[in-house]
Amino acid sequence: MTLNRIVAAEMLPRLRLRLQFADGFAGIAALADTVRIGGVLGAIGDHPESFRILEGGRAVVWTDADGDEIDLCADALRLLAEGAAVRAAE
């Protein structure tokens, strides 16, 4: 099993995260629905551009106002990005 690893990420308008993966796949993960869930995930919407890629590329991490980390794993982000690519192709 190959692990998804993120090598680059850029926040775009409307809470969309452009991602580049180590295997060459590039896509955009729409995070607006995720942020609307609220709770700890809502903190992503407070400062969406303030993220970092976790060492090893296995997650993207945001830090909330309390200093707690909110992370989205590379596998989940890959699924979001692949789903968006399929919908765009239809």
Side-chain angles (χ1 to χ4, degrees):
M1 177 179 163
T2 302
L3 297 175
N4 289 300
R5 297 195 185 280
I6 299 166
V7 295
E10 173 189 10
M11 186 56 75
L12 302 173
R14 299 187 314 276
L15 292 170
R16 295 175 302 133
L17 189 61
R18 181 181 316 198
L19 299 160
Q20 177 71 45
F21 290 85
D23 67 357
F25 175 80
I28 296 174
L31 301 180
D33 289 342
T34 301
V35 170
R36 272 194 287 279
I37 292 170
V40 296
L41 296 173
I44 294 170
D46 294 339
H47 301 286
E49 69 288 341
S50 298
F51 66 87
R52 64 185 168 84
I53 299 170
L54 199 62
E55 187 175 332
R58 291 290 298 142
V60 175
V61 180
W62 290 262
T63 303
D64 70 11
D66 296 326
D68 296 321
E69 291 188 342
I70 299 96
D71 62 270
L72 296 176
C73 75
D75 299 326
L77 290 168
R78 176 75 177 243
L79 289 172
L80 285 172
E82 286 177 346
V86 168
R87 286 189 299 281
E90 293 177 341

